[in-house]
């Protein structure tokens, strides 16, 4: 009697690029810019929820800048002592992570009621998180219209099978910042990447090229300043915080979509809401209500908790705290590293139309 050797499971690797076969396949399946399910909200109530205000964003921005100034001052005066380590740790998170949520909300144009305030904060946040602002505005628009649709969404952070080493490296921005540096460098000499060309209109090319040059010039200036001064201190305030302070971006970001369904038209199946304490909600600017944000991206950050209460009966159960959500995410990513077809099925209380 002979026994056949065990057959190893074939790991199916999808092409997550925007220029590969998955792009055409998604179009053929009618997934491009398709109609998404939305939990019903009365029209009068929605009008209240989408109302924009300057007050909450001005308050939070002033607090953020004050914390940046205080921690930065402590780090500067403690330079050369061990006290600089905790000071820069705080400054780095405020610079390299908290800026991400400010970039995000200002990019949607909903943080402030006054348009120029959104533009101003968006450009500050873009520089802090190493994102060329023009290209990323269009990229994020595509992310919302085609959320986690393989071949269409340029912002799928965790492909399957899960690249766990890359996730760990990106806690320090090694992957994302290097990718963005290459993209900005190409743009600075007038070259738009093929992936960018799938979502960035040609009329926006000159602006994208201009802003890439501006960002690179500022970073280069900080490098020259450090070399001339004979110290790394200037780069500890401009440039390097986008690396050593980026870890919280990943901690928050993985809670959004990691490990959930792909190629579905219901955000309840590919996006999470995580209840967090007031401090984390301030740092994340209420993006823990991420499912609600994707359903209704015109609702400002300060009204997302109210939106959650309005549609909670139609949503899957929420996660409680970072520890609660990571009890699902970590085993899920380990499993998907070997079996990309594995997924968590979120219980839905109503069915979306086919």
């Amino acid at each position: 009697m002979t026994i056949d050797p065990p057959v190893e499971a074939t790991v199916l690797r999808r092409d997550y690029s925007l220029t590969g076969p998955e792009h055409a396949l998604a179009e053929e399946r009618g997934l491009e810019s398709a109609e998404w399910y939305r939990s019903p909200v009365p029209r009068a109530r929605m009008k209240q929820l989408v109302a924009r205000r300057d007050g909450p964003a001005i308050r939070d921005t002033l607090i953020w800048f004050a914390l940046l100034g205080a921690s930065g001052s402590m780090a500067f005066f403690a330079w050369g002592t061990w006290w600089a380590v905790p000071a820069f740790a705080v400054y780095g998170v405020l610079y390299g992570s908290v800026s991400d949520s400010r970039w995000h909300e200002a990019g949607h144009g909903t943080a402030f009621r006054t348009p120029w305030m959104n533009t101003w904060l968006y450009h500050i946040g873009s520089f802090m998180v190493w994102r060329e602002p023009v290209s990323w505005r269009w990229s994020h628009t595509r992310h919302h219209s085609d959320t986690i649709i393989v071949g269409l969404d340029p912002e799928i952070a965790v492909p399957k099978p899960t690249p766990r080493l890359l996730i760990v490296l990106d806690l320090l921005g090694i992957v994302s910042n290097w990718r963005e540096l290459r993209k900005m460098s190409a743009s600075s000499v007038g070259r738009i990447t093929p992936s960018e060309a799938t979502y960035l209109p040609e009329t926006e090319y000159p602006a994208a090229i201009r802003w890439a040059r501006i960002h690179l010039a500022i970073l280069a200036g900080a490098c020259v300043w450090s070399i001339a001064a004979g110290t790394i201190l200037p780069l500890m305030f401009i440039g390097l915080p986008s690396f050593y302070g980026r870890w919280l971006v990943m901690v928050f970001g993985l809670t959004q979509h990691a490990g959930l369904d792909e190629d579905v038209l219901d955000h309840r199946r590919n996006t999470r809401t995580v209840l967090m304490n007031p401090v984390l909600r301030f740092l994340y600017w209420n993006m823990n209500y991420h499912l609600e944000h994707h359903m209704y991206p015109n609702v400002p950050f300060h009204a997302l908790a109210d939106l959650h209460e309005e549609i909670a009966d139609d949503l899957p159960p929420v996660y409680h705290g970072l520890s609660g959500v990571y009890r699902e995410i970590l085993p899920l990513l380990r499993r998907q590293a070997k079996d990309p077809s594995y997924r968590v099925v979120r219980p839905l209380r109503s069915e979306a139309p086919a």
Side-chain angles (χ1 to χ4, degrees), residues 74-90 236:
M74 291 176 61
F76 177 80
F77 289 111
W79 183 249
T81 73
W82 284 107
W83 289 107
V85 175
F88 273 115
V90 173
M236 291 294 293

Side-chain angles (χ1 to χ4, degrees), residues 11 13 16 148 156-171 250-262 270 272 319 322 325-344:
V11 177
R13 296 181 181 273
Y16 285 81
I148 317 301
I156 298 180
V158 185
K160 304 170 187 175
T162 307
R164 290 177 293 175
L165 176 60
L166 298 184
I167 291 174
V168 172
L169 291 175
D170 222 22
L171 287 170
M250 288 298 294
V251 171
F252 284 153
L254 288 176
T255 69
Q256 297 176 359
H257 310 286
L260 299 180
D261 271 336
E262 298 171 338
N270 67 11
R272 296 182 180 89
Y319 299 83
L322 288 173
V325 69
Y326 271 95
R327 278 197 294 270
E328 174 183 279
I329 290 176
L330 294 179
L332 178 59
L333 295 185
R334 284 196 297 269
R335 177 76 175 267
Q336 288 181 339
K338 300 179 179 179
D339 180 8
S341 65
Y342 182 76
R343 62 192 177 93
V344 170

Side-chain angles (χ1 to χ4, degrees), residues 10-31:
T10 301
V11 177
L12 299 177
R13 296 181 181 273
R14 302 186 70 181
D15 184 347
Y16 285 81
S17 73
L18 303 186
T19 55
E22 293 281 359
H23 185 105
L25 183 60
E27 290 179 336
E28 291 173 7
R29 295 173 61 194
L31 295 175

Side-chain angles (χ1 to χ4, degrees), residues 39-41 292 295-296 306-315:
S39 299
V41 178
E292 294 81 355
M295 271 195 182
Y296 292 102
D306 293 334
L307 174 61
H308 171 75
E309 294 299 323
E310 188 69 33
I311 64 176
D313 290 341
D314 192 43
L315 302 181

Side-chain angles (χ1 to χ4, degrees), residues 34-264:
E35 183 176 351
W36 287 73
Y37 175 78
R38 289 186 176 186
S39 299
V41 178
R43 183 181 297 270
R45 179 57 175 152
M46 181 53 63
K47 186 176 181 180
Q48 296 173 342
L49 291 169
V50 299
R52 300 180 186 181
R53 297 157 50 196
D54 285 337
I58 290 176
R59 176 202 63 209
D60 288 357
T61 302
L62 290 176
I63 293 173
W64 177 41
F65 283 163
L67 292 172
L68 270 169
S71 59
S73 297
M74 291 176 61
F76 177 80
F77 289 111
W79 183 249
T81 73
W82 284 107
W83 289 107
V85 175
F88 273 115
V90 173
Y91 177 83
V93 168
L94 291 168
Y95 184 113
S97 289
V98 177
S99 55
D100 177 72
S101 57
R102 275 61 181 171
W103 162 87
H104 176 269
E105 282 300 280
H108 276 280
T110 58
F112 300 90
R113 181 179 180 180
T114 304
W116 70 261
M117 294 183 180
N118 285 308
T119 301
W120 173 78
L121 185 59
Y122 177 70
H123 280 286
I124 291 176
S126 295
F127 176 76
M128 287 178 163
V129 292
W130 279 37
R131 292 178 187 144
E132 185 277 295
V134 178
S135 175
W136 269 91
R137 190 186 293 276
W138 287 92
S139 168
H140 199 67
T141 298
R142 172 72 69 82
H143 171 63
H144 271 271
S145 63
D146 300 315
T147 308
I148 317 301
I149 304 297
V150 179
L152 296 177
D153 186 352
E155 297 181 17
I156 298 180
V158 185
K160 304 170 187 175
T162 307
R164 290 177 293 175
L165 176 60
L166 298 184
I167 291 174
V168 172
L169 291 175
D170 222 22
L171 287 170
L172 295 176
I174 294 172
V175 178
S176 295
N177 289 350
W178 172 246
R179 184 187 302 124
E180 193 62 22
L181 179 61
R182 290 175 59 192
K183 190 172 74 172
M184 284 195 294
S185 298
S187 295
S188 69
V189 294
R191 290 191 291 109
I192 302 299
T193 67
S195 293
E196 284 180 283
T198 66
Y199 55 79
L200 183 65
E202 288 189 25
T203 54
E204 296 283 5
Y205 287 7
I209 292 169
R210 181 174 66 253
W211 278 106
R213 291 171 177 171
I214 291 172
H215 280 204
L216 290 175
I218 297 172
L219 292 172
C223 292
V224 171
W225 184 7
S226 285
I227 293 172
T231 174
I232 199 176
L233 186 58
L235 286 172
M236 291 294 293
F237 287 99
I238 300 175
L240 289 181
S242 304
F243 290 87
Y244 71 79
R246 195 183 186 276
W247 60 270
L248 192 58
V249 170
M250 288 298 294
V251 171
F252 284 153
L254 288 176
T255 69
Q256 297 176 359
H257 310 286
L260 299 180
D261 271 336
E262 298 171 338
D263 301 344
V264 296

